[in-house]
Amino acid sequence: QVQLQESGPGLVKPSQTLSLTCTVSGGSISSGSFHWNWIRQPAGKGLEWVGRISSSGNTNYNPSLKSRVTISLDPSKNQISLRLRSVTAADTAMYYCARDDPSSYDSSAFDIWGQGTMVTVSS
Amino acid sequence: IQLTQSPSSLSASVGDRVTITCRASQGIYSTLAWYQQKPGRAPSLLIYDASSLESGVPSRFSGSGSGTDFTLTISSLQPEDFATYYCQQFHDYPLTFGGGTKVEIK
């Protein structure tokens, strides 16, 4: 079955760029009508959708982060990448990647999640 | 689209019937999902399209509603159901989540 695994540095300095990778196993990121999402969660708080990229490469971002975020696909490695520029302490959170599949539902749903990777922004 | 969950927390006993509500700031048809999150774990999908049970999820979970008002019901709370529950909409960007409802043991 499809599995997602996030990876990246656990510590990023303020004003630098956060770079994370989601590696997908058990299926191709370029096939089907899937969307690949990044969702984050500060410790003890709720979930915030960061953005998504379709299997064809179309992106949508949360306006609250849009000027700083880029999500991309690397089909050769079957990976989805997240880059968040000019980070501050407010970007400290657990970052999850998650798949949604509009073809399986009338709307969609995040049906598969990675285990998450914790990122701390601190000098 | 803002999603307001209530209550933000509740205490219940094993066997209790539990109801969590989610209100959208505008109509979202049935484009709502519910997730369960246990401490230290990623969320997992319970309900999609407002009322459809995800494969493998126990039948004691059910969802209802459309438009602006939605409900997640656990018919008979089990020990493994103590967790935080989130609603989430797919109607419009940005995709948004409710603030969560923590279900604790009484």
Side-chain angles (χ1 to χ4, degrees):
Chain A
Q1 71 278 21
V2 175
Q3 293 184 311
L4 311 181
Q5 177 69 59
E6 305 89 344
S7 59
L11 183 63
V12 181
K13 288 182 167 52
S15 80
Q16 294 192 341
T17 296
L18 179 163
S19 295
L20 299 177
T21 298
C22 175
T23 301
V24 178
S25 58
S28 170
I29 63 172
S30 300
S31 65
S33 60
F34 304 127
H35 293 104
W36 306 97
N37 298 262
W38 287 96
I39 296 160
R40 70 181 185 177
Q41 184 174 37
K45 297 189 177 181
L47 298 159
E48 180 183 33
W49 177 75
V50 174
R52 79 204 280 196
I53 188 166
S54 70
S55 55
S56 60
N58 295 317
T59 54
N60 300 95
Y61 300 126
N62 193 321
S64 68
L65 300 168
K66 187 173 183 177
S67 63
R68 300 193 291 130
V69 65
T70 302
I71 298 174
S72 58
L73 297 176
D74 186 343
S76 67
K77 297 181 180 178
N78 222 34
Q79 291 177 337
I80 305 101
S81 296
L82 169 69
R83 288 173 55 86
L84 184 63
R85 297 174 290 279
S86 304
V87 298
T88 70
D91 297 310
T92 294
M94 180 72 78
Y95 285 77
Y96 296 101
C97 60
R99 186 188 82 170
D100 79 87
D101 180 10
S103 69
S104 293
Y105 310 101
D106 286 347
S107 58
S108 195
F110 299 126
D111 60 347
I112 300 175
W113 295 68
Q115 66 186 28
T117 188
M118 183 67 202
V119 176
T120 301
V121 178
S122 175
S123 55
Chain B
I1 297 172
Q2 288 188 319
L3 298 178
T4 303
Q5 283 184 239
S6 60
S8 56
S9 66
L10 65 91
S11 295
S13 301
V14 172
D16 284 353
R17 181 180 183 88
V18 170
T19 299
I20 299 168
T21 64
C22 177
R23 175 163 287 177
S25 59
Q26 63 187 74
I28 60 170
Y29 300 94
S30 296
T31 62
L32 189 97
W34 289 95
Y35 302 88
Q36 177 192 68
Q37 186 178 33
K38 296 181 179 180
R41 305 288 298 274
S44 62
L45 177 64
L46 296 174
I47 301 288
Y48 61 91
D49 297 339
S51 60
S52 297
L53 192 68
E54 174 71 349
S55 176
V57 174
S59 59
R60 62 181 179 272
F61 291 93
S62 64
S64 64
S66 67
T68 59
D69 294 310
F70 301 87
T71 299
L72 174 70
T73 299
I74 309 172
S75 61
S76 177
L77 197 65
Q78 297 302 300
E80 60 267 31
D81 301 336
F82 292 95
T84 300
Y85 295 85
Y86 294 93
C87 58
Q88 180 258 324
Q89 63 84 18
F90 272 95
H91 179 65
D92 198 8
Y93 294 112
L95 307 183
T96 49
F97 291 87
T101 296
K102 186 173 184 179
V103 177
E104 299 176 301
I105 301 172
K106 182 182 285 184

